[in-house]
Structure formats: C-alpha cells, structure tokens
Amino acid sequence: MVSTNLSVLVVGATGATGKHVVKQMLNLGHHVKVIARSKERMLDLLKEEKANDKTKLLDVTEASLLDLKQEELEKLTQGCDAVVQCLGHNMTFEGIFGHPRRLVTEATQRLTTAAAASKAPDGGQPKFILMGSNGVANPNGMDEIRPRSERTIIFLLRYLIPPHADNEGAAAYLHNLREKQKKDGKEVKWVVVRPDDLIDDDGKISKYNVYDKPQKGLFGGGEVTRANVAHFMVDLVTKDETWKKWEYQMPVLMNVEKTEDKDKSELKK
C-alpha cells in the first residue's frame, strides 16, 4: 500500500543523493523537512532538478546538524513518518581526515534519539533510513565472507580512512540499538541502504536489483545510480510492503545489467 500525505526529515539533503530524495518526495506531494547549511543552495538544487514548483511543501532549517541542540532535533522529528539520513563525508582531504571524524555515527545517534522521543502520525516512532556503504559488513554476520584480499583492504580502510570506520560505527550502533530500545519500550525501526559503486546520473530512475547481501567484489563488481538509491529510500518511506520486507536489514542495491538473469533477484522500478 502506498501512503499519502507523509512528512519526512531529510539530512544531507543538498548532497548528490539527498537532493534526489527531496525531489522525489516533493514530486509525490509529501511534506519534506530538511536540515541544510544553506536554504539558497537547497532551492537552487531543486531548480536544477526541475522540482522548484513543489517548494511550498518544503521546510528548510539552516544549520549544521551537529550544532543543533537535542531539543531542536526532537522538534524537527516530531510528527515525521520517517527520517532519511544521506549525510556523508566530503571526498576532499579535509572532509576525509578532518573533524568531525564520526559525523555519520554521531548524526545517527542523535537522530535516532530524537526519533525515539518523538511521535509519528501513526502513534509510533518515526522510522529511520540510513544511506550506508556496500563496503560495510552487516553486523548480524549474515553476509558472505569476503576473499582474504578484500578483507585485508577493508582492514586497512578501517584504520587509514576515517569515513569507512565511521560508516561501520553507524551500522554497529543501529544493530545494537534494537535490543536496547526493546527495554525502553520505544523502538525506532531502521533500514541501512548499501549502494554498490555509486555513479552520478541525470536523475532518471531505471531498473535496479535489491539484495539482502553483497553479490560481487568490493571494487568494480556492480554500480547503481544515485537516483535509484533515492528511489528505493523513498519506497521505504512510502510503501508499507517495501518497509516490512526490509526493516532491520541492510539491503544492497545494484543497477540491472543488460545480460543479467532477471529471475534471480527482485526487480524494482
């Protein structure tokens, strides 16, 4: 069932993937809140994406997420059906090695805490969707064991490239959060979306596959467009059957290849 008249908070909304989430939610007629350093930048991106006629449904809070007080975050998550986090490190020297090194993990902790203190329109807590990385293993141990060469590379990335350790920390936090929140009686349900190699695109949605674990190697195995990643996250927000299938999981996304056997996976469009 497709839900209507939803409200969603998008973090990382001016990023290469987040802007597609905002555009697609607005085009479906949903209310979108965003946290962005520049409202002008957000509006310019929507103009580029030809979604500027929907801005009456958009509320922009100009701020850096980690600079907001917790009560301010709770005010933003209150009444939301979902929180979508597309926040990530800039791929510059300063973005990779500068502070905050735990940007994704800290944002995940603060947003899920705010969601736990908030009420969604259905009476529960807003659900939480995190854009992760295919290089991060599912903490539940259900992923296939990678070849030794790839495990070595991931080990080096963990200690040499802070964003990788940060993405691992965010996934581990959510994995452990479920048991903790059961005791508190307030459960923020979550999904971590793991794109394969990300590629930029013209914003058009194409066919892609959704798997429960990585299917190919760490590098060069497959790719997925940012618009398709956004489309799947929007589906998680708006389609109950999609959410129920993937809640508390870390699905992996890959574009459909022309020669691929389509009977072996779930096709989405």
Side-chain angles (χ1 to χ4, degrees):
M1 184 179 77
V2 179
S3 300
T4 58
N5 300 320
L6 299 176
S7 180
V8 60
L9 172 64
V10 182
V11 179
T14 58
T17 305
K19 67 179 183 180
H20 291 299
V21 175
V22 175
K23 170 192 171 183
Q24 292 178 27
M25 289 295 297
L26 289 176
N27 283 340
L28 290 173
H30 300 298
H31 176 220
V32 180
K33 304 177 186 178
V34 306
I35 301 172
R37 289 188 177 91
S38 169
K39 180 176 181 178
E40 182 180 3
R41 170 66 174 158
M42 183 78 259
L43 294 177
D44 285 346
L45 286 171
L46 291 176
K47 187 175 182 180
E48 292 174 12
E49 296 294 325
K50 299 180 180 178
N52 54 313
D53 60 330
K54 303 285 187 179
T55 53
K56 63 181 180 297
L57 298 171
L58 178 71
D59 288 331
V60 180
T61 297
E62 286 190 298
S64 173
L65 185 146
L66 296 185
D67 290 339
L68 291 172
K69 296 178 181 179
Q70 195 60 30
E71 54 266 30
E72 292 176 309
L73 283 179
E74 291 174 12
K75 184 177 179 180
L76 288 169
T77 56
Q78 182 64 37
C80 286
D81 295 274
V83 177
V84 179
Q85 181 178 321
C86 299
L87 200 62
H89 297 260
N90 292 325
M91 290 297 101
T92 62
F93 185 87
E94 180 63 26
I96 294 172
F97 296 104
H99 293 281
R101 290 196 171 189
R102 286 169 46 85
L103 171 66
V104 178
T105 303
E106 290 182 19
T108 298
Q109 292 171 341
R110 295 197 60 195
L111 287 167
T112 52
T113 299
S118 303
K119 287 287 187 182
D122 65 3
Q125 276 69 48
K127 50 195 179 187
F128 183 77
I129 301 165
L130 172 66
M131 180 176 167
S133 166
N134 189 32
V136 174
N138 194 327
N140 68 7
M142 298 304 292
D143 285 356
E144 302 293 339
I145 298 176
R146 291 188 180 274
R148 180 176 295 179
S149 60
E150 292 190 4
R151 298 202 307 272
T152 300
I153 292 171
I154 290 173
F155 174 84
L156 293 173
L157 289 173
R158 183 176 300 128
Y159 291 99
L160 297 177
I161 308 297
H164 181 77
D166 188 20
N167 286 326
E168 288 185 327
Y173 173 80
L174 289 174
H175 177 72
N176 296 325
L177 180 67
R178 187 178 182 186
E179 291 302 320
K180 177 181 179 296
Q181 288 190 333
K182 283 181 179 179
K183 300 175 183 178
D184 299 338
K186 292 183 178 181
E187 191 172 5
V188 177
K189 298 178 179 179
W190 53 264
V191 173
V192 179
V193 179
R194 294 186 286 176
D196 218 306
D197 294 347
L198 278 167
I199 56 175
D200 292 314
D201 52 20
D202 58 6
K204 293 181 180 178
I205 300 163
S206 59
K207 291 182 179 179
Y208 58 91
N209 295 332
V210 185
Y211 302 94
D212 62 350
K213 61 186 70 173
Q215 300 295 301
K216 297 186 178 182
L218 187 60
F219 300 108
E223 56 187 24
V224 62
T225 63
R226 294 182 183 276
N228 284 347
V229 176
H231 182 265
F232 180 64
M233 291 193 286
V234 168
D235 269 5
L236 286 169
V237 176
T238 61
K239 296 182 179 179
D240 293 340
E241 63 273 19
T242 304
W243 178 261
K244 289 176 182 177
K245 179 172 182 176
W246 294 107
E247 67 179 9
Y248 296 124
Q249 296 189 59
M250 295 177 60
V252 175
L253 271 60
M254 290 173 54
N255 280 356
V256 169
E257 298 176 5
K258 292 181 180 179
T259 59
E260 187 172 354
D261 181 357
K262 298 180 182 179
D263 294 330
K264 292 182 179 179
S265 59
E266 172 194 357
L267 289 183
K268 301 284 294 181
K269 183 176 180 181

PDB file of all heavy atoms in Angstrom, residues 102 104-105 108-109 130 136-140 164-180 190 192 250:
ATOM      1  N   ARG A 102      33.542  11.299  13.200  1.00  0.00           N
ATOM      2  CA  ARG A 102      32.412  10.384  13.430  1.00  0.00           C
ATOM      3  C   ARG A 102      31.095  11.062  13.056  1.00  0.00           C
ATOM      4  O   ARG A 102      30.084  10.893  13.712  1.00  0.00           O
ATOM      5  CB  ARG A 102      32.408   9.930  14.890  1.00  0.00           C
ATOM      6  CG  ARG A 102      33.498   8.917  15.200  1.00  0.00           C
ATOM      7  CD  ARG A 102      33.639   8.679  16.710  1.00  0.00           C
ATOM      8  NE  ARG A 102      32.366   8.482  17.367  1.00  0.00           N
ATOM      9  CZ  ARG A 102      31.724   7.312  17.456  1.00  0.00           C
ATOM     10  NH1 ARG A 102      32.259   6.242  16.908  1.00  0.00           N
ATOM     11  NH2 ARG A 102      30.579   7.215  18.095  1.00  0.00           N
ATOM     12  N   VAL A 104      28.853  10.572  10.613  1.00  0.00           N
ATOM     13  CA  VAL A 104      27.710   9.704  10.315  1.00  0.00           C
ATOM     14  C   VAL A 104      27.212   9.019  11.587  1.00  0.00           C
ATOM     15  O   VAL A 104      26.003   8.948  11.842  1.00  0.00           O
ATOM     16  CB  VAL A 104      28.085   8.666   9.244  1.00  0.00           C
ATOM     17  CG1 VAL A 104      26.916   7.728   8.959  1.00  0.00           C
ATOM     18  CG2 VAL A 104      28.517   9.370   7.958  1.00  0.00           C
ATOM     19  N   THR A 105      28.152   8.513  12.395  1.00  0.00           N
ATOM     20  CA  THR A 105      27.762   7.817  13.623  1.00  0.00           C
ATOM     21  C   THR A 105      27.090   8.762  14.605  1.00  0.00           C
ATOM     22  O   THR A 105      26.040   8.444  15.185  1.00  0.00           O
ATOM     23  CB  THR A 105      28.988   7.169  14.280  1.00  0.00           C
ATOM     24  OG1 THR A 105      29.600   6.276  13.348  1.00  0.00           O
ATOM     25  CG2 THR A 105      28.589   6.393  15.532  1.00  0.00           C
ATOM     26  N   THR A 108      23.680   9.681  13.386  1.00  0.00           N
ATOM     27  CA  THR A 108      22.771   8.549  13.571  1.00  0.00           C
ATOM     28  C   THR A 108      22.318   8.440  15.019  1.00  0.00           C
ATOM     29  O   THR A 108      21.131   8.238  15.308  1.00  0.00           O
ATOM     30  CB  THR A 108      23.463   7.243  13.134  1.00  0.00           C
ATOM     31  OG1 THR A 108      23.780   7.326  11.737  1.00  0.00           O
ATOM     32  CG2 THR A 108      22.577   6.035  13.379  1.00  0.00           C
ATOM     33  N   GLN A 109      23.249   8.577  15.932  1.00  0.00           N
ATOM     34  CA  GLN A 109      22.911   8.508  17.361  1.00  0.00           C
ATOM     35  C   GLN A 109      21.931   9.611  17.747  1.00  0.00           C
ATOM     36  O   GLN A 109      20.924   9.359  18.424  1.00  0.00           O
ATOM     37  CB  GLN A 109      24.191   8.616  18.190  1.00  0.00           C
ATOM     38  CG  GLN A 109      25.118   7.419  18.064  1.00  0.00           C
ATOM     39  CD  GLN A 109      26.470   7.653  18.709  1.00  0.00           C
ATOM     40  OE1 GLN A 109      26.879   8.796  18.948  1.00  0.00           O
ATOM     41  NE2 GLN A 109      27.178   6.586  18.987  1.00  0.00           N
ATOM     42  N   LEU A 130      19.111   4.946   6.806  1.00  0.00           N
ATOM     43  CA  LEU A 130      20.484   5.417   6.693  1.00  0.00           C
ATOM     44  C   LEU A 130      21.081   4.975   5.375  1.00  0.00           C
ATOM     45  O   LEU A 130      21.003   3.797   5.010  1.00  0.00           O
ATOM     46  CB  LEU A 130      21.329   4.849   7.844  1.00  0.00           C
ATOM     47  CG  LEU A 130      22.840   5.097   7.774  1.00  0.00           C
ATOM     48  CD1 LEU A 130      23.154   6.583   7.905  1.00  0.00           C
ATOM     49  CD2 LEU A 130      23.564   4.292   8.859  1.00  0.00           C
ATOM     50  N   VAL A 136      30.644  -1.911   3.993  1.00  0.00           N
ATOM     51  CA  VAL A 136      30.389  -2.177   5.415  1.00  0.00           C
ATOM     52  C   VAL A 136      29.626  -3.487   5.556  1.00  0.00           C
ATOM     53  O   VAL A 136      28.544  -3.646   4.995  1.00  0.00           O
ATOM     54  CB  VAL A 136      29.586  -1.024   6.048  1.00  0.00           C
ATOM     55  CG1 VAL A 136      29.184  -1.367   7.480  1.00  0.00           C
ATOM     56  CG2 VAL A 136      30.399   0.264   6.008  1.00  0.00           C
ATOM     57  N   ALA A 137      30.183  -4.409   6.302  1.00  0.00           N
ATOM     58  CA  ALA A 137      29.530  -5.694   6.516  1.00  0.00           C
ATOM     59  C   ALA A 137      28.357  -5.553   7.472  1.00  0.00           C
ATOM     60  O   ALA A 137      28.367  -4.704   8.371  1.00  0.00           O
ATOM     61  CB  ALA A 137      30.530  -6.702   7.075  1.00  0.00           C
ATOM     62  N   ASN A 138      27.347  -6.383   7.267  1.00  0.00           N
ATOM     63  CA  ASN A 138      26.208  -6.400   8.185  1.00  0.00           C
ATOM     64  C   ASN A 138      26.669  -6.947   9.534  1.00  0.00           C
ATOM     65  O   ASN A 138      27.199  -8.053   9.608  1.00  0.00           O
ATOM     66  CB  ASN A 138      25.102  -7.284   7.615  1.00  0.00           C
ATOM     67  CG  ASN A 138      23.782  -7.090   8.326  1.00  0.00           C
ATOM     68  OD1 ASN A 138      23.746  -6.817   9.524  1.00  0.00           O
ATOM     69  ND2 ASN A 138      22.685  -7.231   7.603  1.00  0.00           N
ATOM     70  N   PRO A 139      26.488  -6.187  10.625  1.00  0.00           N
ATOM     71  CA  PRO A 139      26.932  -6.661  11.939  1.00  0.00           C
ATOM     72  C   PRO A 139      26.251  -7.946  12.403  1.00  0.00           C
ATOM     73  O   PRO A 139      26.722  -8.572  13.362  1.00  0.00           O
ATOM     74  CB  PRO A 139      26.574  -5.493  12.872  1.00  0.00           C
ATOM     75  CG  PRO A 139      26.524  -4.298  11.987  1.00  0.00           C
ATOM     76  CD  PRO A 139      25.972  -4.809  10.685  1.00  0.00           C
ATOM     77  N   ASN A 140      25.159  -8.354  11.729  1.00  0.00           N
ATOM     78  CA  ASN A 140      24.500  -9.600  12.147  1.00  0.00           C
ATOM     79  C   ASN A 140      25.249 -10.845  11.680  1.00  0.00           C
ATOM     80  O   ASN A 140      24.859 -11.973  12.013  1.00  0.00           O
ATOM     81  CB  ASN A 140      23.044  -9.643  11.667  1.00  0.00           C
ATOM     82  CG  ASN A 140      22.912  -9.763  10.145  1.00  0.00           C
ATOM     83  OD1 ASN A 140      23.891  -9.949   9.417  1.00  0.00           O
ATOM     84  ND2 ASN A 140      21.684  -9.647   9.649  1.00  0.00           N
ATOM     85  N   HIS A 164      35.335   5.297   6.446  1.00  0.00           N
ATOM     86  CA  HIS A 164      34.927   3.890   6.435  1.00  0.00           C
ATOM     87  C   HIS A 164      34.618   3.415   7.856  1.00  0.00           C
ATOM     88  O   HIS A 164      33.586   2.765   8.090  1.00  0.00           O
ATOM     89  CB  HIS A 164      36.010   3.014   5.812  1.00  0.00           C
ATOM     90  CG  HIS A 164      35.623   1.559   5.763  1.00  0.00           C
ATOM     91  ND1 HIS A 164      34.741   1.067   4.830  1.00  0.00           N
ATOM     92  CD2 HIS A 164      35.953   0.517   6.568  1.00  0.00           C
ATOM     93  CE1 HIS A 164      34.560  -0.232   5.042  1.00  0.00           C
ATOM     94  NE2 HIS A 164      35.288  -0.581   6.089  1.00  0.00           N
ATOM     95  N   ALA A 165      35.502   3.713   8.788  1.00  0.00           N
ATOM     96  CA  ALA A 165      35.252   3.337  10.187  1.00  0.00           C
ATOM     97  C   ALA A 165      33.992   4.004  10.710  1.00  0.00           C
ATOM     98  O   ALA A 165      33.244   3.423  11.515  1.00  0.00           O
ATOM     99  CB  ALA A 165      36.457   3.711  11.045  1.00  0.00           C
ATOM    100  N   ASP A 166      33.742   5.219  10.253  1.00  0.00           N
ATOM    101  CA  ASP A 166      32.538   5.944  10.670  1.00  0.00           C
ATOM    102  C   ASP A 166      31.285   5.229  10.182  1.00  0.00           C
ATOM    103  O   ASP A 166      30.318   5.037  10.944  1.00  0.00           O
ATOM    104  CB  ASP A 166      32.601   7.362  10.113  1.00  0.00           C
ATOM    105  CG  ASP A 166      31.495   8.265  10.650  1.00  0.00           C
ATOM    106  OD1 ASP A 166      30.918   7.938  11.706  1.00  0.00           O
ATOM    107  OD2 ASP A 166      31.237   9.306  10.018  1.00  0.00           O
ATOM    108  N   ASN A 167      31.270   4.803   8.923  1.00  0.00           N
ATOM    109  CA  ASN A 167      30.116   4.067   8.395  1.00  0.00           C
ATOM    110  C   ASN A 167      29.922   2.741   9.125  1.00  0.00           C
ATOM    111  O   ASN A 167      28.785   2.319   9.387  1.00  0.00           O
ATOM    112  CB  ASN A 167      30.286   3.825   6.898  1.00  0.00           C
ATOM    113  CG  ASN A 167      30.063   5.077   6.069  1.00  0.00           C
ATOM    114  OD1 ASN A 167      29.244   5.915   6.407  1.00  0.00           O
ATOM    115  ND2 ASN A 167      30.794   5.210   4.969  1.00  0.00           N
ATOM    116  N   GLU A 168      31.016   2.068   9.452  1.00  0.00           N
ATOM    117  CA  GLU A 168      30.912   0.830  10.228  1.00  0.00           C
ATOM    118  C   GLU A 168      30.332   1.117  11.609  1.00  0.00           C
ATOM    119  O   GLU A 168      29.504   0.346  12.109  1.00  0.00           O
ATOM    120  CB  GLU A 168      32.288   0.179  10.366  1.00  0.00           C
ATOM    121  CG  GLU A 168      32.819  -0.456   9.106  1.00  0.00           C
ATOM    122  CD  GLU A 168      34.113  -1.190   9.315  1.00  0.00           C
ATOM    123  OE1 GLU A 168      34.921  -0.751  10.180  1.00  0.00           O
ATOM    124  OE2 GLU A 168      34.351  -2.212   8.637  1.00  0.00           O
ATOM    125  N   GLY A 169      30.765   2.218  12.214  1.00  0.00           N
ATOM    126  CA  GLY A 169      30.261   2.569  13.545  1.00  0.00           C
ATOM    127  C   GLY A 169      28.776   2.857  13.547  1.00  0.00           C
ATOM    128  O   GLY A 169      28.054   2.465  14.482  1.00  0.00           O
ATOM    129  N   ALA A 170      28.290   3.522  12.518  1.00  0.00           N
ATOM    130  CA  ALA A 170      26.854   3.824  12.429  1.00  0.00           C
ATOM    131  C   ALA A 170      26.036   2.552  12.293  1.00  0.00           C
ATOM    132  O   ALA A 170      24.987   2.386  12.935  1.00  0.00           O
ATOM    133  CB  ALA A 170      26.595   4.765  11.257  1.00  0.00           C
ATOM    134  N   ALA A 171      26.509   1.613  11.458  1.00  0.00           N
ATOM    135  CA  ALA A 171      25.792   0.341  11.286  1.00  0.00           C
ATOM    136  C   ALA A 171      25.793  -0.464  12.579  1.00  0.00           C
ATOM    137  O   ALA A 171      24.772  -1.059  12.954  1.00  0.00           O
ATOM    138  CB  ALA A 171      26.428  -0.462  10.147  1.00  0.00           C
ATOM    139  N   ALA A 172      26.929  -0.486  13.270  1.00  0.00           N
ATOM    140  CA  ALA A 172      27.015  -1.223  14.536  1.00  0.00           C
ATOM    141  C   ALA A 172      26.099  -0.605  15.586  1.00  0.00           C
ATOM    142  O   ALA A 172      25.454  -1.320  16.369  1.00  0.00           O
ATOM    143  CB  ALA A 172      28.463  -1.240  15.030  1.00  0.00           C
ATOM    144  N   TYR A 173      26.034   0.720  15.605  1.00  0.00           N
ATOM    145  CA  TYR A 173      25.165   1.394  16.569  1.00  0.00           C
ATOM    146  C   TYR A 173      23.711   0.989  16.356  1.00  0.00           C
ATOM    147  O   TYR A 173      22.991   0.668  17.314  1.00  0.00           O
ATOM    148  CB  TYR A 173      25.324   2.903  16.444  1.00  0.00           C
ATOM    149  CG  TYR A 173      24.336   3.672  17.282  1.00  0.00           C
ATOM    150  CD1 TYR A 173      24.541   3.844  18.644  1.00  0.00           C
ATOM    151  CD2 TYR A 173      23.176   4.208  16.718  1.00  0.00           C
ATOM    152  CE1 TYR A 173      23.625   4.532  19.427  1.00  0.00           C
ATOM    153  CE2 TYR A 173      22.254   4.899  17.484  1.00  0.00           C
ATOM    154  CZ  TYR A 173      22.486   5.063  18.832  1.00  0.00           C
ATOM    155  OH  TYR A 173      21.568   5.733  19.616  1.00  0.00           O
ATOM    156  N   LEU A 174      23.251   1.001  15.107  1.00  0.00           N
ATOM    157  CA  LEU A 174      21.866   0.629  14.832  1.00  0.00           C
ATOM    158  C   LEU A 174      21.609  -0.830  15.167  1.00  0.00           C
ATOM    159  O   LEU A 174      20.540  -1.185  15.691  1.00  0.00           O
ATOM    160  CB  LEU A 174      21.537   0.900  13.358  1.00  0.00           C
ATOM    161  CG  LEU A 174      21.424   2.377  12.963  1.00  0.00           C
ATOM    162  CD1 LEU A 174      21.234   2.510  11.459  1.00  0.00           C
ATOM    163  CD2 LEU A 174      20.278   3.060  13.707  1.00  0.00           C
ATOM    164  N   HIS A 175      22.580  -1.692  14.872  1.00  0.00           N
ATOM    165  CA  HIS A 175      22.427  -3.118  15.173  1.00  0.00           C
ATOM    166  C   HIS A 175      22.219  -3.326  16.676  1.00  0.00           C
ATOM    167  O   HIS A 175      21.362  -4.125  17.091  1.00  0.00           O
ATOM    168  CB  HIS A 175      23.671  -3.871  14.699  1.00  0.00           C
ATOM    169  CG  HIS A 175      23.657  -5.333  15.029  1.00  0.00           C
ATOM    170  ND1 HIS A 175      22.828  -6.236  14.394  1.00  0.00           N
ATOM    171  CD2 HIS A 175      24.366  -6.047  15.948  1.00  0.00           C
ATOM    172  CE1 HIS A 175      23.034  -7.443  14.890  1.00  0.00           C
ATOM    173  NE2 HIS A 175      23.950  -7.355  15.833  1.00  0.00           N
ATOM    174  N   ASN A 176      22.983  -2.609  17.496  1.00  0.00           N
ATOM    175  CA  ASN A 176      22.878  -2.751  18.951  1.00  0.00           C
ATOM    176  C   ASN A 176      21.688  -1.990  19.528  1.00  0.00           C
ATOM    177  O   ASN A 176      21.202  -2.319  20.618  1.00  0.00           O
ATOM    178  CB  ASN A 176      24.169  -2.257  19.621  1.00  0.00           C
ATOM    179  CG  ASN A 176      25.373  -3.096  19.249  1.00  0.00           C
ATOM    180  OD1 ASN A 176      25.261  -4.310  19.070  1.00  0.00           O
ATOM    181  ND2 ASN A 176      26.529  -2.461  19.131  1.00  0.00           N
ATOM    182  N   LEU A 177      21.223  -0.984  18.791  1.00  0.00           N
ATOM    183  CA  LEU A 177      20.130  -0.148  19.289  1.00  0.00           C
ATOM    184  C   LEU A 177      18.836  -0.930  19.469  1.00  0.00           C
ATOM    185  O   LEU A 177      18.067  -0.662  20.394  1.00  0.00           O
ATOM    186  CB  LEU A 177      19.896   1.010  18.309  1.00  0.00           C
ATOM    187  CG  LEU A 177      18.792   2.008  18.665  1.00  0.00           C
ATOM    188  CD1 LEU A 177      19.170   2.800  19.919  1.00  0.00           C
ATOM    189  CD2 LEU A 177      18.556   2.958  17.496  1.00  0.00           C
ATOM    190  N   ARG A 178      18.619  -1.907  18.622  1.00  0.00           N
ATOM    191  CA  ARG A 178      17.349  -2.633  18.654  1.00  0.00           C
ATOM    192  C   ARG A 178      17.111  -3.286  20.007  1.00  0.00           C
ATOM    193  O   ARG A 178      16.020  -3.163  20.588  1.00  0.00           O
ATOM    194  CB  ARG A 178      17.319  -3.692  17.543  1.00  0.00           C
ATOM    195  CG  ARG A 178      15.979  -4.369  17.402  1.00  0.00           C
ATOM    196  CD  ARG A 178      15.990  -5.367  16.257  1.00  0.00           C
ATOM    197  NE  ARG A 178      14.691  -5.982  16.091  1.00  0.00           N
ATOM    198  CZ  ARG A 178      14.447  -6.974  15.249  1.00  0.00           C
ATOM    199  NH1 ARG A 178      15.417  -7.448  14.479  1.00  0.00           N
ATOM    200  NH2 ARG A 178      13.225  -7.494  15.160  1.00  0.00           N
ATOM    201  N   GLU A 179      18.123  -3.977  20.527  1.00  0.00           N
ATOM    202  CA  GLU A 179      17.962  -4.644  21.821  1.00  0.00           C
ATOM    203  C   GLU A 179      17.807  -3.631  22.947  1.00  0.00           C
ATOM    204  O   GLU A 179      17.002  -3.824  23.858  1.00  0.00           O
ATOM    205  CB  GLU A 179      19.163  -5.555  22.085  1.00  0.00           C
ATOM    206  CG  GLU A 179      19.237  -6.759  21.171  1.00  0.00           C
ATOM    207  CD  GLU A 179      17.994  -7.636  21.266  1.00  0.00           C
ATOM    208  OE1 GLU A 179      17.487  -7.830  22.393  1.00  0.00           O
ATOM    209  OE2 GLU A 179      17.514  -8.091  20.223  1.00  0.00           O
ATOM    210  N   LYS A 180      18.561  -2.549  22.868  1.00  0.00           N
ATOM    211  CA  LYS A 180      18.481  -1.528  23.906  1.00  0.00           C
ATOM    212  C   LYS A 180      17.101  -0.898  23.954  1.00  0.00           C
ATOM    213  O   LYS A 180      16.531  -0.705  25.033  1.00  0.00           O
ATOM    214  CB  LYS A 180      19.535  -0.449  23.643  1.00  0.00           C
ATOM    215  CG  LYS A 180      19.494   0.719  24.619  1.00  0.00           C
ATOM    216  CD  LYS A 180      20.546   1.749  24.267  1.00  0.00           C
ATOM    217  CE  LYS A 180      20.497   2.925  25.231  1.00  0.00           C
ATOM    218  NZ  LYS A 180      19.215   3.669  25.158  1.00  0.00           N
ATOM    219  N   TRP A 190      14.564   0.611  11.694  1.00  0.00           N
ATOM    220  CA  TRP A 190      15.546   1.186  10.781  1.00  0.00           C
ATOM    221  C   TRP A 190      15.846   0.268   9.603  1.00  0.00           C
ATOM    222  O   TRP A 190      15.596  -0.934   9.642  1.00  0.00           O
ATOM    223  CB  TRP A 190      16.848   1.506  11.520  1.00  0.00           C
ATOM    224  CG  TRP A 190      17.437   0.346  12.295  1.00  0.00           C
ATOM    225  CD1 TRP A 190      17.279   0.084  13.632  1.00  0.00           C
ATOM    226  CD2 TRP A 190      18.248  -0.723  11.773  1.00  0.00           C
ATOM    227  NE1 TRP A 190      17.945  -1.065  13.972  1.00  0.00           N
ATOM    228  CE2 TRP A 190      18.557  -1.582  12.861  1.00  0.00           C
ATOM    229  CE3 TRP A 190      18.748  -1.027  10.512  1.00  0.00           C
ATOM    230  CZ2 TRP A 190      19.335  -2.722  12.710  1.00  0.00           C
ATOM    231  CZ3 TRP A 190      19.523  -2.175  10.349  1.00  0.00           C
ATOM    232  CH2 TRP A 190      19.808  -3.000  11.447  1.00  0.00           C
ATOM    233  N   VAL A 192      19.327   0.150   6.772  1.00  0.00           N
ATOM    234  CA  VAL A 192      20.567   0.722   6.240  1.00  0.00           C
ATOM    235  C   VAL A 192      20.665   0.310   4.771  1.00  0.00           C
ATOM    236  O   VAL A 192      20.736  -0.879   4.463  1.00  0.00           O
ATOM    237  CB  VAL A 192      21.814   0.233   7.003  1.00  0.00           C
ATOM    238  CG1 VAL A 192      23.076   0.838   6.384  1.00  0.00           C
ATOM    239  CG2 VAL A 192      21.715   0.578   8.478  1.00  0.00           C
ATOM    240  N   MET A 250      19.967  -4.637   5.924  1.00  0.00           N
ATOM    241  CA  MET A 250      20.916  -3.782   5.232  1.00  0.00           C
ATOM    242  C   MET A 250      20.956  -4.171   3.754  1.00  0.00           C
ATOM    243  O   MET A 250      21.934  -4.756   3.280  1.00  0.00           O
ATOM    244  CB  MET A 250      22.300  -3.879   5.875  1.00  0.00           C
ATOM    245  CG  MET A 250      22.340  -3.352   7.306  1.00  0.00           C
ATOM    246  SD  MET A 250      23.947  -3.534   8.119  1.00  0.00           S
ATOM    247  CE  MET A 250      25.033  -2.575   7.058  1.00  0.00           C
TER     248      MET A 250
END
